[in-house]
Amino acid sequence: METTTYPKAVIVIFGATGDLAKRKLYPSIHRLFNNNQIGDEFAVIGVARRPWTNDLFREKVKESIQTPITTDEEIDSFTSHFYYHPFDVTDKSSFQDLMSLMNDLDGQYRTEGNRMFYLAMAPEFFGTIAQNIQEYGLKETNGWTRLVIEKPFGHNFESAKKLNDELREAFDEKQIYRIDHYLGKEMVQNIEVIRFANAIFEHLWNNRFISNIQITSSELLGVEDRGKYYESSGALRDMVQNHMLQMVALLAMEPPIKLTTDEVRSEKVKALRSIRPLTKQSTFDHFVRGQYGKGEIEEEHVDGYREDPNVDSESNTETFVAGKIMIDNYRWAGVPFYIRTGKRMKEKLTKIVVEFKDLPMNLYNNGSGKKQTNLLVIHIQPDEGITLHLNAKQSDGTRTIIPIQLDYCNNCINGINTPEAYEKLIYDCMNGDATNFTHWDEVALSWQFVDTISKAWESQKAEFPNYTSGSMGPDDADKLLEKDGFNWW
Ligand code: BG6
């Protein structure tokens, strides 16, 4: 009889009472449990300042679970793996007590000494926690030890490096799993497969056949209750430094020689290294910033960013970024990668559009002289799938062409079972697969690129607000493409 080997571990979540743990981590662990991807050999220790009990913690975990639960017994059997440990980051005895709880649970759940430390809390404590984990011997075990770290990973290159140096005093690079939750999204993971498993795309995937690539990630929501964090971050640090540049790297990289973590990451690093560095002047030429004013979202009035109680009424923080990125290598010379992301836009959507060049001497048009461009659209969310925009003949005896679309919808087929990003990432980490986590070299290169933009923007006050809530951003974002003869799709 075949026996299933499940990953085993004691998972310690720092920031167990926080929003991320509640919204993403507990539901994801539950889905792994429910889908039989983890067995019974795991325990979760929730760590935070509040004086909760195990019972209260289990109650909160239960409330956070979104999957329909069949029986109370099932849910109780899941939450019985959860333990709460009130904690003071700066107190030695907190770490010592945590160690003895970990050791007990290790024996009880037969987790073979495997330990995952998940930092889902205020970043100012990342370094201290990592160092205390080391100092108080929490890493001394016969099993594996991994550190999962949430963003923000620093505020600029310098602070990211400082944080990384602190982490590296306690953990090896191979033990550090830096989360970028976009890398857990089904269709972001599909980029590599679409490219490297399809001859019809990869052969055309270069500057001879592609005119430009556009990545849009728009949100309906404003900054909600995160105004304070967002004031010091802005869309550039919040979305571009990580998610947007990661998608650029996946679209631009060369095929890896093997599908191993090191090979994939090294190709991504190479792609990021090929991005043309900006200057202050080229930042203003190639990047557009925006901030939402009041407007209407789904027929409801919404306030502007500066009206948020946690935001400076004269705030210079951008809630929108559009930019043109050039990649100076043999494959991509001359092909702009346009990115666009913002809050309080017209819709919640992430998609990639690959626009192909027209054929030489294409004699066909739609009857009014217009040609339909071939596009490959990769829908990341909320739809998941691919659409190919092609031309076909109109059945009217003329030579007129009509646009047609070939669609593949991923989440229509898999339905609600498409795994959540966090679910996949937690599972990967438990199995020691770091491919979909960011290596320090990627983080460093992304910060160096983004730092030039933030410095340029900080040197000049912007004319904000410059886009209406519910729109697709400021007009300058459209002009950015118009200058090059393109438009956003
Ligand atoms: C996070 C940002 O990293 O990504 C948020 O901090 C943003 O501001 C979120 O809303 C977007 O993620 P998703 O998965 O909803 O596109």
Side-chain angles (χ1 to χ4, degrees):
M1 203 177 76
E2 228 178 85
T3 52
T4 317
T5 337
Y6 296 111
K8 304 165 187 179
V10 173
I11 304 172
V12 183
I13 299 180
F14 291 86
T17 55
D19 195 48
L20 180 81
K22 196 172 66 197
R23 278 189 310 113
K24 300 287 183 192
L25 307 187
Y26 306 142
S28 297
I29 299 171
H30 178 253
R31 284 168 63 127
L32 290 173
F33 183 74
N34 219 29
N35 297 341
N36 210 24
Q37 287 174 282
I38 53 175
D40 273 318
E41 285 146 337
F42 81 97
V44 178
I45 306 178
V47 168
R49 256 191 319 220
R50 291 183 210 175
W52 284 3
T53 59
N54 284 347
D55 285 344
L56 179 60
F57 182 42
R58 289 173 187 174
E59 208 36 55
K60 298 279 182 192
V61 172
K62 188 171 174 175
E63 281 166 20
S64 73
I65 291 164
Q66 297 133 6
T67 328
I69 308 295
T70 40
T71 65
D72 273 353
E73 263 167 29
E74 261 173 24
I75 188 74
D76 289 343
S77 104
F78 173 70
T79 57
S80 70
H81 290 255
F82 284 70
Y83 295 80
Y84 188 76
H85 181 63
F87 194 83
D88 175 353
V89 172
T90 54
D91 178 14
K92 181 177 171 182
S93 66
S94 287
F95 283 91
Q96 288 162 338
D97 295 346
L98 176 60
M99 174 139 89
S100 74
L101 178 58
M102 270 186 342
N103 288 338
D104 290 350
L105 296 179
D106 184 30
Q108 188 179 335
Y109 291 92
R110 299 177 309 283
T111 55
E112 298 177 353
N114 297 334
R115 294 170 181 179
M116 184 200 292
F117 298 99
Y118 197 124
L119 308 191
M121 52 168 333
E124 59 263 35
F125 298 119
F126 288 170
T128 316
I129 294 177
Q131 285 171 342
N132 286 343
I133 287 174
Q134 159 89 344
E135 191 175 330
Y136 298 119
L138 275 66
K139 281 181 67 203
E140 282 157 28
T141 164
N142 294 329
W144 51 255
T145 311
R146 294 177 190 140
L147 180 76
V148 183
I149 185 154
E150 273 292 337
K151 63 179 275 246
F153 199 92
H155 182 72
N156 50 25
F157 173 71
E158 214 185 338
S159 56
K161 170 139 186 10
K162 181 167 172 284
L163 169 60
N164 200 54
D165 290 346
E166 285 166 8
L167 299 182
R168 289 297 305 274
E169 278 175 33
F171 290 85
D172 294 341
E173 175 64 34
K174 281 202 179 315
Q175 296 176 310
I176 304 174
Y177 288 66
R178 297 178 196 79
I179 291 257
D180 182 315
H181 78 280
Y182 267 57
L183 296 183
K185 290 185 191 284
E186 188 66 18
M187 289 308 294
V188 173
Q189 295 190 352
N190 225 325
I191 295 173
E192 277 176 68
V193 183
I194 294 167
R195 289 189 53 194
F196 303 135
N198 290 298
I200 57 161
F201 295 132
E202 192 48 27
H203 291 315
L204 304 183
W205 211 261
N206 56 52
N207 56 6
R208 270 167 296 153
F209 302 104
I210 290 176
S211 66
N212 73 94
I213 294 186
Q214 305 175 10
I215 308 173
T216 298
S217 192
S218 60
E219 294 189 70
L220 277 172
L221 292 179
V223 290
E224 310 307 293
D225 51 5
R226 294 162 78 220
K228 200 161 157 266
Y229 150 78
Y230 204 83
E231 272 289 85
S232 65
S233 143
L236 188 66
R237 294 184 174 97
D238 190 48
M239 291 291 292
V240 176
Q241 182 272 333
N242 38 48
H243 313 319
M244 303 303 280
L245 286 178
Q246 281 294 320
M247 288 190 278
V248 170
L250 288 167
L251 289 161
M253 71 191 240
E254 292 301 314
I257 54 165
K258 284 194 202 118
L259 292 176
T260 56
T261 302
D262 288 349
E263 295 301 342
V264 172
R265 282 171 157 187
S266 97
E267 293 306 338
K268 282 169 67 193
V269 168
K270 228 163 45 182
L272 291 169
R273 269 214 309 265
S274 318
I275 292 182
R276 184 184 302 168
L278 293 163
T279 59
K280 187 171 171 186
Q281 187 50 49
S282 63
T283 295
F284 286 108
D285 293 343
H286 289 184
F287 274 78
V288 172
R289 53 181 159 167
Q291 187 192 77
Y292 60 83
K294 58 184 184 322
E296 272 196 12
I297 299 265
E298 290 169 346
E299 295 177 24
E300 295 268 327
H301 170 85
V302 290
D303 285 340
Y305 177 70
R306 288 179 176 179
E307 272 96 64
D308 186 295
N310 295 316
V311 164
D312 183 346
S313 57
E314 291 292 309
S315 175
N316 200 38
T317 301
E318 78 289 346
T319 60
F320 173 97
V321 177
K324 166 172 159 178
I325 294 172
M326 299 305 293
I327 298 183
D328 289 333
N329 63 18
Y330 182 79
R331 186 188 282 259
W332 293 117
V335 180
F337 282 63
Y338 299 106
I339 56 166
R340 170 173 67 156
T341 182
K343 301 233 177 246
R344 280 263 194 268
M345 292 174 66
K346 204 168 104 202
E347 53 191 332
K348 168 81 182 162
L349 164 152
T350 303
K351 68 172 179 187
I352 295 162
V353 180
V354 180
E355 180 171 348
F356 291 89
K357 290 183 175 170
D358 195 11
L359 282 168
M361 288 295 294
N362 182 352
L363 302 174
Y364 293 91
N365 64 56
N366 67 353
S368 51
K370 252 188 109 189
K371 292 192 169 86
Q372 150 95 354
T373 317
N374 288 147
L375 305 175
L376 168 68
V377 184
I378 304 176
H379 307 273
I380 310 280
Q381 62 187 19
D383 298 341
E384 292 176 9
I386 311 169
T387 308
L388 198 51
H389 293 240
L390 304 171
N391 292 305
K393 182 184 167 305
Q394 183 124 289
S395 320
D396 62 357
T398 69
R399 292 210 172 107
T400 311
I401 52 168
I402 48 159
I404 57 161
Q405 296 184 3
L406 303 185
D407 271 321
Y408 160 67
C409 171
N410 191 55
N411 50 346
C412 305
I413 293 171
N414 292 332
I416 52 162
N417 292 328
T418 307
E420 266 265 355
Y422 274 94
E423 185 181 335
K424 288 200 271 186
L425 296 175
I426 293 170
Y427 186 71
D428 282 355
C429 178
M430 288 181 92
N431 284 300
D433 182 354
T435 316
N436 290 311
F437 294 81
T438 43
H439 187 276
W440 163 245
D441 293 348
E442 297 169 64
V443 176
L445 287 162
S446 308
W447 273 125
Q448 281 160 345
F449 179 72
V450 153
D451 279 354
T452 313
I453 308 174
S454 26
K455 277 196 201 116
W457 283 353
E458 276 156 24
S459 73
Q460 269 183 36
K461 193 143 174 62
E463 304 233 341
F464 286 160
N466 62 351
Y467 71 98
T468 315
S469 284
S471 71
M472 278 312 273
D475 293 344
D476 281 349
D478 296 334
K479 291 189 192 134
L480 181 72
L481 272 67
E482 281 161 20
K483 276 193 293 198
D484 296 340
F486 303 123
N487 57 272
W488 291 105
W489 293 103

